Amino acid sequence: MEFHSLPKLYLLFSLFILFLSPFQAQAATQISYCDKKANYPVKVTGVDISPDPVKSGHPATFKIYATSGKSILGGEVVIGVSYVGVPVHTENIDLCKEVKCPVSNGNFVISHTQTLPEITPPGPYSLKMTLKNDRDELLTCIKFNFKIVLGSLVSDI
């Protein structure tokens, strides 16, 4: 390799890294089912967290994308949040406050927005969400991780 072609190699390498960085920053949230062997009637296809990472003292929206083979007349969403493995928050939410009921069979989105207190410690969190119908039957149960950063130290982009 000649010396004068070395800057071209660095330029190519830099462009490659710049091209890949937006994809790494927008990595999809990895979800897992609570019971990997269960055949839940509601399948979760994705989770969107905005902003990601979540900022303390600012609103955060969690969107759960799901699909169901049957309509859902009503029910309850139970959210449990843990900080480094220690449960710190539990919330029971009427499904019909998060989506229009009845939920038709097919695709739907559960969207929940919450403002975290300014004193929320930064770090790794995990969320467990269960969805039950109006007859208290378990429709799905998922887990995923997310991160919280100090809102006052992070500039809004």
Side-chain angles (χ1 to χ4, degrees):
M1 177 182 267
E2 295 180 27
F3 180 73
H4 67 288
S5 66
L6 203 52
K8 290 180 186 176
L9 180 64
Y10 286 130
L11 178 63
L12 220 79
F13 184 71
S14 298
L15 288 173
F16 179 74
I17 290 174
L18 285 174
F19 178 75
L20 284 182
S21 60
F23 296 108
Q24 292 173 347
Q26 298 296 325
T29 301
Q30 298 294 315
I31 60 170
S32 62
Y33 288 102
C34 300
D35 181 352
K36 294 179 188 349
K37 295 178 183 178
N39 186 20
Y40 296 111
V42 171
K43 308 295 184 209
V44 175
T45 57
V47 172
D48 183 33
I49 304 168
S50 179
D52 191 5
V54 173
K55 299 175 186 177
S56 61
H58 297 273
T61 300
F62 294 82
K63 291 184 180 179
I64 312 294
Y65 297 88
T67 186
S68 177
K70 291 183 182 180
S71 62
I72 304 168
L73 301 177
E76 181 178 55
V77 179
V78 179
I79 297 173
V81 178
S82 297
Y83 175 63
V84 292
V86 177
V88 293
H89 179 74
T90 302
E91 188 170 358
N92 295 27
I93 305 164
D94 182 347
L95 175 65
C96 297
K97 290 187 178 180
E98 303 300 313
V99 297
K100 186 176 181 281
C101 287
V103 178
S104 300
N105 64 329
N107 298 330
F108 65 98
V109 179
I110 299 171
S111 181
H112 182 71
T113 301
Q114 183 142 5
T115 300
L116 303 175
E118 285 279 345
I119 60 168
T120 304
Y125 287 77
S126 61
L127 185 142
K128 177 181 176 182
M129 183 206 79
T130 58
L131 173 60
K132 294 182 178 182
N133 65 15
D134 58 339
R135 294 182 304 265
D136 206 35
E137 298 167 332
L138 182 63
L139 299 177
T140 198
C141 180
I142 61 165
K143 299 178 195 178
F144 60 88
N145 297 323
F146 66 100
K147 184 178 181 182
I148 296 178
V149 296
L150 292 175
S152 59
L153 298 179
V154 179
S155 64
D156 292 321
I157 297 175

